[in-house]
Amino acid sequence: MTDDHPAHDARIPGVDPSVPPSGPGCVECTRDGSWWFHLRRCAECGHIGCCDQSLGKHATAHAQQTGHRIIQSFEPGEDWFWDYATQRFASGPELAAPHSHPLDQSAPGPADRLPADWQRLLA
């Protein structure tokens, strides 16, 4: 391929496939002893935050605070990307492992911090 056709370069602005996730759960919820509904991974820095259906909405807050616009689901079996700037699903490369929270971690979770009325709290 010539330099006129850089399709072989899979680099996408705002995506760093070499960065591992920050951990198995939402950084802020873990720090605060809270819980989440689903998890999202920043495709630029690996920050794990909770989704917009969660009480904290930490993935969106991270994007707003940092300008990191692309996330990927951090749920088992899901590999979709979302671009906050365009408010549309996006494409991206395979990110560094692991690709989801541990399979034995509940969703919502973590189970030991989940209130009995969690469904009412998210309604």
Side-chain angles (χ1 to χ4, degrees):
M1 208 166 255
T2 68
D3 289 335
D4 295 336
H5 299 91
H8 65 281
D9 183 5
R11 301 231 5 112
I12 299 170
V15 176
D16 185 343
S18 70
V19 176
S22 60
C26 175
V27 171
E28 292 81 6
C29 288
T30 299
R31 177 194 67 211
D32 299 340
S34 190
W35 57 280
W36 51 81
F37 188 52
H38 292 298
L39 296 172
R40 308 296 179 234
R41 173 185 182 168
C42 177
E44 188 162 343
C45 73
H47 175 274
I48 301 298
C50 56
C51 71
D52 284 351
Q53 288 76 34
S54 300
L55 298 175
K57 300 175 174 49
H58 292 121
T60 295
H62 173 78
Q64 291 169 341
Q65 293 167 356
T66 63
H68 297 173
R69 61 186 267 181
I70 300 174
I71 59 167
Q72 185 178 41
S73 175
F74 200 58
E75 293 297 317
E78 297 182 358
D79 62 359
W80 54 264
F81 287 82
W82 180 259
D83 186 333
Y84 283 109
T86 64
Q87 292 294 296
R88 295 182 188 265
F89 287 101
S91 297
E94 184 172 330
L95 301 179
H99 300 111
S100 71
H101 62 75
L103 296 178
D104 63 353
Q105 179 178 294
S106 67
D112 63 339
R113 295 197 303 245
L114 205 61
D117 63 344
W118 69 266
Q119 291 169 315
R120 183 187 62 77
L121 294 171
L122 296 181

